[in-house]
Amino acid sequence: MAGMYRSRVAGIGSYLPEKVLSNFDLEKMVDTSNDWIVERTGIERRHIAAEGEATSDLSVKAAQKALEDAKLKPEDIDMIIVGTVTSDRQMPSTACYLQSKLGCRNVFAFDLNAACSGFLYGVSVADQFIRTGMYKNILVVGAEVLHRFVNYQDRETCILFGDGAGAWIVSRAAEGDTNVIESTHLHADGDLADLLTLPGGGSIQPQSQEVLDKKLNYVSMKGREIFKSAVRTMALCCKEALEYNKMSPDEIDWIIPHQANKRIIEAVAGQFNFPMERMIVYLQETGNTSAASIPLAFDWAVQNGKIKRGQTILLTAFGAGLTSGSVLLRY
């Protein structure tokens, strides 16, 4: 766009807690089996935050790696966005805790709740602030400590979720740099809000003994409906990005979808005949980490030599809301 700056991914980082909860561990906790979980989801294990380890603690470790990768210091950061549904406290924001723990300047910091689409929402916001010239270096984090909001007596949900954090430094690109964020596309359909929700603890049903007794403080999900919506919305978001940029699937090196379920990922790839060997799949190690899932998978793919600088990457996600989105970039 004439007269506007462009943004690039200057640095990336991620963090997974040390403790691992395997499918075999879950077999001892709930009526399920490793084979059943792997067959239906592709998940083999998930990482669990230690006692006293908060979302901001995971965020700090991912952010420090991203800063190192970008060769920047905390004082270089102009803005902090944290995508999360499991903030340290209802207030203040996790981003404020992160700003303090990192030692950043007194900068613009806020949390963004778009569930599993939260990281893409955050990247899109950062891209806009870079494009207008307001800021040069923005820290975007997706981080969750989801296991504390999961009912380990509910085998439909407890097998899915894990903890983790991923971070990007989104920076102003130098003039002529072609490795930039090309476009972002975001959506929300509140008519489907009840398909995936955490019923208790908000202004509708504030925390109370009744909320605890009815287990309304845990994630509630309608799995079949979510599956259908996830496939449809992520495929549409991918097609939207391709059409906007006048590109074909053959021009995409990698697609990184939200890491929720391998069957969903396979179905999305099938929507436009995209080869599975070019879909980044990391959920076997992490489970569904909500807003952290895409930056975790991205960092893993870079560290393992799959994603390289100069390649064209398409990110897509869906989440509670129902939210959805895509980001197309040249890394």
Side-chain angles (χ1 to χ4, degrees), residues 30 98 102 130 134-135 156 201 245-246 251 254 293 296 301:
V30 69
L98 176 58
L102 272 178
I130 297 290
M134 184 168 285
Y135 295 128
E156 297 297 323
N245 290 283
K246 297 180 173 59
E251 296 175 88
W254 299 98
S293 96
L296 278 168

Side-chain angles (χ1 to χ4, degrees), residues 134-303:
M134 184 168 285
Y135 295 128
K136 290 184 178 180
N137 299 302
I138 299 175
L139 171 60
V140 183
V141 177
E144 305 285 8
V145 179
L146 271 165
H147 90 271
R148 294 187 183 133
F149 301 88
V150 170
N151 179 2
Y152 283 95
Q153 296 175 344
D154 176 8
R155 73 172 192 165
E156 297 297 323
T157 57
C158 75
I159 64 172
L160 299 175
F161 298 104
D163 306 338
W168 281 9
I169 307 296
V170 179
S171 297
R172 182 186 297 179
E175 188 173 351
D177 192 343
T178 58
N179 293 338
V180 295
I181 293 174
E182 295 289 0
S183 66
T184 66
H185 309 271
L186 305 175
H187 302 278
D189 184 357
D191 290 342
L192 302 175
D194 289 340
L195 296 185
L196 179 54
T197 182
L198 204 163
S203 62
I204 295 175
Q205 291 176 296
Q207 203 64 267
S208 66
Q209 189 59 51
E210 181 184 9
V211 165
L212 297 176
D213 290 344
K214 292 183 177 179
K215 296 181 169 45
L216 300 178
N217 55 319
Y218 294 126
V219 172
S220 171
M221 182 180 70
K222 296 177 181 177
R224 288 186 179 181
E225 292 91 338
I226 284 290
F227 188 104
K228 294 175 185 176
S229 294
V231 173
R232 177 178 56 82
T233 56
M234 287 204 292
L236 285 173
C237 287
C238 286
K239 291 176 181 177
E240 180 181 22
L242 292 171
E243 289 173 3
Y244 180 87
N245 290 283
K246 297 180 173 59
M247 297 177 68
S248 71
D250 293 340
E251 296 175 88
I252 303 297
D253 292 297
W254 299 98
I255 292 179
I256 305 182
H258 169 48
Q259 307 286 298
N261 182 306
K262 190 175 180 182
R263 286 183 172 182
I264 291 175
I265 294 173
E266 290 170 343
V268 171
Q271 290 286 309
F272 47 100
N273 298 317
F274 196 83
M276 272 301 294
E277 56 266 25
R278 281 162 47 209
M279 301 284 283
I280 298 296
V281 181
Y282 186 43
L283 56 79
Q284 68 278 2
E285 178 64 34
T286 64
N288 182 344
T289 55
S290 187
S293 96
I294 285 178
L296 278 168
F298 195 106
D299 192 40
W300 172 81
V302 170
Q303 299 305 324

Side-chain angles (χ1 to χ4, degrees), residues 55-68:
T55 299
S56 63
D57 297 319
L58 276 59
S59 300
V60 166
K61 293 176 180 177
Q64 288 170 335
K65 293 178 182 178
L67 283 166
E68 182 180 358

